[in-house]
């Protein structure tokens, strides 16, 4: 009897061991994989915006302009402009040398009446230059074209029925006279409430449909400065400061001899240095002509990049080298 009880006890003990071992093996399999669910996720990276680069645009539009004096042809300048602040990288459109745009960009539904075309001239060129312009492209845009001169000409006013404005500036072709006329041009544009300001000289021929197409590919509320430099590098100028000394400034400018255009959004930002005669003061500060001063205000002070376009042309070029099929696409 005792031997039977001992055998039963041993059997129960062995069974208990086997059952416990089985439970130990099953417990890990029954647990939920919480460690996998709580794994940390990588944080998004923040990148700084890339440095401002020159813009290039050759969009189908234009004016063939051949003339004007390139007042800064012999200058070169190097200035240090503060870099743009670091910010979260946001995809933005990029302009290539061919003018193609990658990425979405707001455009304008423009009409010719939205453009303010300023023609700079002088009294002695009224017959030799202005009459030819009035007979050709200006006749197609009389309401949009404003001729800025330095003397009254009632005969031309009656004959042409165009907007001829006597700036009362000097007829001399020097820095002070040129900046005086540009100052009046700017103020008249701001008064006009038009969307685009385009400046040309009195020996430029403007192809109006091409100009309209070019500007329509941008939006007037953006900061747009369109033109063609006469140099292959920025110019360098000495900026006079109130304290005894100068600071070197470096910037691109669009030569007035080829013409340039500025959006209204950007023009309004130029006001502290340009409106109500301030343009003349700004020009004296760097002692440069009108087109250079425009570039100084936009690039050096406002830090807006000039958009280079090969569709504008000046007297410095041989226009006979243009392929004939592309002539009407120029500005």
């Amino acid at each position: 009897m005792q031997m039977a009880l001992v055998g039963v006890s041993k059997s129960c003990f062995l069974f208990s061991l086997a059952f416990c071992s089985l439970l130990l093996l099953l417990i890990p399999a029954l647990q939920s994989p919480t460690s996998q669910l709580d794994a940390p996720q990588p944080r998004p990276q923040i990148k700084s915006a890339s440095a401002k680069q020159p813009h290039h645009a050759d969009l189908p539009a234009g004016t063939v302009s051949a003339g004007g004096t390139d007042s800064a042809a012999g200058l070169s300048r190097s200035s240090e402009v503060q870099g743009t602040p670091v910010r979260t990288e946001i995809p933005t459109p990029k302009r290539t040398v061919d003018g193609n745009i990658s990425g979405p960009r707001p455009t304008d539904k423009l009409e010719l009446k939205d453009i303010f075309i300023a023609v700079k001239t002088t009294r002695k060129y009224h017959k030799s230059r202005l009459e030819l312009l009035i007979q050709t492209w200006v006749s197609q845009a009389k309401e949009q074209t404003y001729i800025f001169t330095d003397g009254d000409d009632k005969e031309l006013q009656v004959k042409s029925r165009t907007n001829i404005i006597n700036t009362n500036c000097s007829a001399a072709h020097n820095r002070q006279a040129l900046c005086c006329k540009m100052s009046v041009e700017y103020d008249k544009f701001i008064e006009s409430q038009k969307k685009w300001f385009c400046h040309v000289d009195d020996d430029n021929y403007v192809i109006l449909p091409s100009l309209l197409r070019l500007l329509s590919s941008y939006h007037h509320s953006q900061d747009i400065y369109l033109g063609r430099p006469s140099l292959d590098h920025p110019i360098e100028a000495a900026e006079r400061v109130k304290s005894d000394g100068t600071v070197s400034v470096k910037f691109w400018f669009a030569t007035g001899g080829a013409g340039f255009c500025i959006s209204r959004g950007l023009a309004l930002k130029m006001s502290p240095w340009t409106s109500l005669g301030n343009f003349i003061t700004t020009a004296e500060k760097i002692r440069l002509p009108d087109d250079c001063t425009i570039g100084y205000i936009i690039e050096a002070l406002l830090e807006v990049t000039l958009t280079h376009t090969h569709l504008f042309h000046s007297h410095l070029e041989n226009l006979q080298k243009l392929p004939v099929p592309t002539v009407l696409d120029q500005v």
Side-chain angles (χ1 to χ4, degrees):
M1 186 67 179
Q2 280 185 339
M3 293 297 294
L5 290 174
V6 171
V8 171
S9 299
K10 288 183 177 180
S11 299
C12 291
F13 177 73
L14 292 173
F15 178 77
S16 299
L17 286 177
F19 182 73
C20 291
S21 300
L22 182 61
L23 286 177
L24 290 173
L25 292 174
L26 291 176
I27 287 174
L30 296 174
Q31 289 181 340
S32 61
T34 55
S35 59
Q36 295 180 4
L37 296 176
D38 298 332
Q41 300 297 321
R43 299 178 61 185
Q45 295 182 354
I46 297 178
K47 300 179 181 179
S48 61
S50 57
K52 180 175 68 174
Q53 298 295 331
H55 291 218
H56 299 270
D58 282 342
L59 299 166
T63 336
V64 175
S65 54
T69 301
D70 185 10
S71 49
L75 297 177
S76 66
R77 53 181 187 177
S78 66
S79 85
E80 299 189 7
V81 180
Q82 294 181 353
T84 55
V86 175
R87 57 188 176 185
T88 303
E89 185 175 11
I90 300 174
T92 54
K94 295 180 180 179
R95 296 184 181 90
T96 65
V97 175
D98 297 326
N100 297 321
I101 308 298
S102 62
R105 180 181 67 179
T107 56
D108 242 341
K109 292 183 179 179
L110 279 184
E111 298 179 41
L112 199 56
K113 66 180 182 180
D114 297 320
I115 307 174
F116 183 102
I117 305 174
V119 180
K120 181 185 67 182
T121 188
T122 185
R123 183 69 174 80
K124 69 176 182 179
Y125 289 141
H126 284 190
K127 285 192 175 296
S128 60
R129 296 186 180 183
L130 270 191
E131 288 190 2
L132 181 60
L133 296 189
I134 291 169
Q135 292 170 13
T136 54
W137 70 266
V138 172
S139 65
Q140 304 170 35
K142 287 185 178 180
E143 294 183 4
Q144 294 77 40
T145 305
Y146 299 78
I147 298 170
F148 293 85
T149 186
D150 45 47
D152 289 324
D153 193 335
K154 293 183 180 180
E155 181 183 350
L156 182 64
Q157 182 85 58
V158 173
K159 183 179 178 180
S160 65
R161 296 181 181 179
T162 54
N163 304 301
I164 300 179
I165 299 168
N166 182 2
T167 62
N168 294 312
C169 299
S170 169
H173 193 75
N174 55 32
R175 183 181 73 251
Q176 291 82 2
L178 294 174
C179 291
C180 175
K181 290 177 182 175
M182 184 63 74
S183 177
V184 179
E185 288 182 36
Y186 175 86
D187 288 338
K188 291 295 183 182
F189 164 69
I190 295 300
E191 291 175 10
S192 73
Q193 299 298 316
K194 293 185 183 293
K195 295 180 178 180
W196 287 91
F197 170 73
C198 292
H199 165 94
V200 297
D201 280 350
D202 55 9
D203 53 359
N204 293 141
Y205 186 94
V206 181
I207 301 177
L208 296 168
S210 297
L211 177 63
L212 189 60
R213 285 199 304 273
L214 174 63
L215 299 183
S216 295
S217 62
Y218 301 92
H219 199 278
H220 71 278
S221 63
Q222 294 179 312
D223 295 341
I224 305 297
Y225 175 32
L226 278 168
R228 183 169 190 162
S230 57
L231 306 174
D232 59 0
H233 55 81
I235 66 171
E236 182 178 355
E239 179 188 52
R240 293 187 296 171
V241 293
K242 289 183 179 179
S243 56
D244 225 3
T246 59
V247 176
S248 179
V249 289
K250 177 183 178 182
F251 53 93
W252 289 93
F253 76 96
T255 176
F260 58 82
C261 294
I262 300 171
S263 63
R264 184 168 190 85
L266 178 57
L268 291 173
K269 293 180 181 179
M270 298 168 61
S271 179
W273 304 279
T274 313
S275 64
L276 304 176
N278 286 327
F279 185 80
I280 299 172
T281 304
T282 304
E284 285 302 309
K285 185 178 180 181
I286 58 174
R287 305 187 69 82
L288 287 175
D290 53 342
D291 50 2
C292 299
T293 303
I294 291 288
Y296 165 73
I297 294 171
I298 295 175
E299 281 231 339
L301 299 181
L302 293 175
E303 299 184 359
V304 174
T305 302
L306 167 66
T307 299
H308 299 208
T309 173
H310 297 295
L311 298 174
F312 290 75
H313 303 278
S314 77
H315 68 291
L316 299 177
E317 302 172 61
N318 183 358
L319 296 181
Q320 293 181 348
K321 291 184 177 180
L322 283 174
V324 174
T326 70
V327 169
L328 294 180
D329 291 330
Q330 309 303 307
V331 180

